[in-house]
Amino acid sequence: MTTLLGRVSAWHRPMTWTAGIMAGMTVVSLGGLALDDRVLLGAPIWLKPVKFAVSIALYCVTWAWMLTLLRRGQRLAARVSTAIAVIVLVEYAIIVLQVVRGRASHFNAATAFDATLFTVMGISIAALWTGTLVLTILLLRTEITDAAARWAIRLAAVVSLAGLGLGGLMIGPTDEQVRSMRDGTFEGLVGAHSVGVADGGPGMPLTGWSTTGGDLRIPHFVGMHALQVLPLFALLLTVLARRVARLRSGVVRARLVAVAGFGYAGLVALVTWQALRGQPLIHPDARTLAALAGIVVAVAAGAAWSLAAGSRRPEVSVA
């Protein structure tokens, strides 16, 4: 699957540079975690910069590579991608600035300055989503010879775009915040990660996702990282095809990738539904488990159907 491999020297430079900067900031932020014992909303204050640095680095390096696949609209894609690189750097700079100040970066409208920074972040996020939409449309219009690569890249871009958009579910004020604005007890936060409980409660290790209520960061995270998961799955199938005869069929690999992509989209929908119902990821109820079982069964059936195609067609060697 040579279509999934591009020369690094041809990757979009601003995106690649930004990924490198974020890799460096990951190290800096990990140092902050080790040396700075401050806590904000129940979590180590440097945890957010670590998570955002890793996520932005993955986003930028993946798109830097994906842009090498484009055959049309390259100039537009380059301009949009450069703008995206600037946008994510601005957003990350605000996050670090607020950490240094000991203030929340997201949802913070406690002072005029805090509100201005959060407004800038909100505009940046909207611009980031719009830019990603443009890149996704250009990618969907690009001819990719290898069917498995085509399915992986297109489904990854679409699901990731949806996951990025799910971040918008966190921005609106909660019912409690609306009431506080009316009765004069407003504490300066507009929006929340959690559903059914206040932000800052007990959370999972590393991620900080709520263990007592729903958490909208989960579908946001899972959806966005389809951008890496699905192309890597397609690449894994190509590697395995050298040893597994059934996978040497391009039809089989393409079907498996399509099944994985739609199964992944189903998972994003499931964790979104779970979070909106105020349910912790690690404490699913019977309805959530039933829906998960349905997805697993559907994916298993799809995988069996995909592999069956290999037994009915001549084997195709993998170079």
Side-chain angles (χ1 to χ4, degrees), residues 3-130:
T3 27
L4 282 179
L5 302 174
R7 292 182 300 112
V8 175
S9 61
W11 292 9
H12 185 261
R13 289 189 178 182
M15 281 283 205
T16 306
W17 292 337
T18 301
I21 292 170
M22 289 299 105
M25 288 307 302
T26 299
V27 176
V28 172
S29 299
L30 286 171
L33 271 178
L35 301 174
D36 190 341
D37 60 1
R38 289 179 298 162
V39 174
L40 182 66
L41 292 176
I45 199 166
W46 282 95
L47 182 59
K48 179 175 286 188
V50 171
K51 293 191 293 185
F52 269 76
V54 172
S55 186
I56 291 171
L58 289 173
Y59 173 92
C60 288
V61 77
T62 305
W63 272 112
W65 158 66
M66 281 186 169
L67 293 176
T68 64
L69 304 176
L70 297 179
R71 297 295 175 263
R72 293 183 294 175
Q74 293 173 322
R75 182 173 298 180
L76 172 61
R79 290 174 178 173
V80 169
S81 299
T82 299
I84 287 175
V86 173
I87 288 167
V88 296
L89 286 173
V90 169
E91 182 177 3
Y92 191 78
I94 292 174
I95 290 171
V96 173
L97 172 63
Q98 290 295 72
V99 165
V100 172
R101 296 179 66 228
R103 308 282 291 179
S105 52
H106 288 76
F107 319 129
N108 190 356
T111 68
F113 184 65
D114 290 327
T116 298
L117 291 180
F118 183 47
T119 299
V120 171
M121 292 182 73
I123 295 171
S124 298
I125 292 168
L128 173 63
W129 188 89
T130 303

Side-chain angles (χ1 to χ4, degrees), residues 62-250:
T62 305
W63 272 112
W65 158 66
M66 281 186 169
L67 293 176
T68 64
L69 304 176
L70 297 179
R71 297 295 175 263
R72 293 183 294 175
Q74 293 173 322
R75 182 173 298 180
L76 172 61
R79 290 174 178 173
V80 169
S81 299
T82 299
I84 287 175
V86 173
I87 288 167
V88 296
L89 286 173
V90 169
E91 182 177 3
Y92 191 78
I94 292 174
I95 290 171
V96 173
L97 172 63
Q98 290 295 72
V99 165
V100 172
R101 296 179 66 228
R103 308 282 291 179
S105 52
H106 288 76
F107 319 129
N108 190 356
T111 68
F113 184 65
D114 290 327
T116 298
L117 291 180
F118 183 47
T119 299
V120 171
M121 292 182 73
I123 295 171
S124 298
I125 292 168
L128 173 63
W129 188 89
T130 303
T132 304
L133 172 63
V134 173
L135 296 182
T136 299
I137 292 171
L138 291 173
L139 198 58
L140 291 175
R141 298 177 61 193
T142 296
E143 291 296 328
I144 299 173
T145 304
D146 184 86
R150 183 166 62 249
W151 275 102
I153 291 166
R154 291 178 177 179
L155 284 172
V158 171
V159 175
S160 177
L161 182 67
L164 189 61
L166 288 171
L169 295 174
M170 303 181 233
I171 296 175
T174 64
D175 293 340
E176 184 177 344
Q177 289 168 351
V178 171
R179 285 193 295 270
S180 71
M181 294 175 191
R182 292 172 179 168
D183 62 23
T185 60
F186 179 59
E187 297 181 351
L189 294 178
V190 180
H193 299 134
S194 303
V195 178
V197 295
D199 283 353
M204 295 171 60
L206 298 180
T207 63
W209 296 337
S210 177
T211 57
T212 57
D215 199 313
L216 294 168
R217 291 174 294 186
I218 298 170
H220 183 52
F221 172 88
V222 175
M224 282 183 59
H225 291 293
L227 200 63
Q228 292 80 40
V229 172
L230 295 179
L232 285 175
F233 177 66
L235 186 57
L236 175 63
L237 292 180
T238 299
V239 173
L240 291 176
R242 301 179 185 278
R243 296 178 177 271
V244 181
R246 191 67 61 85
L247 295 179
R248 291 171 188 164
S249 167

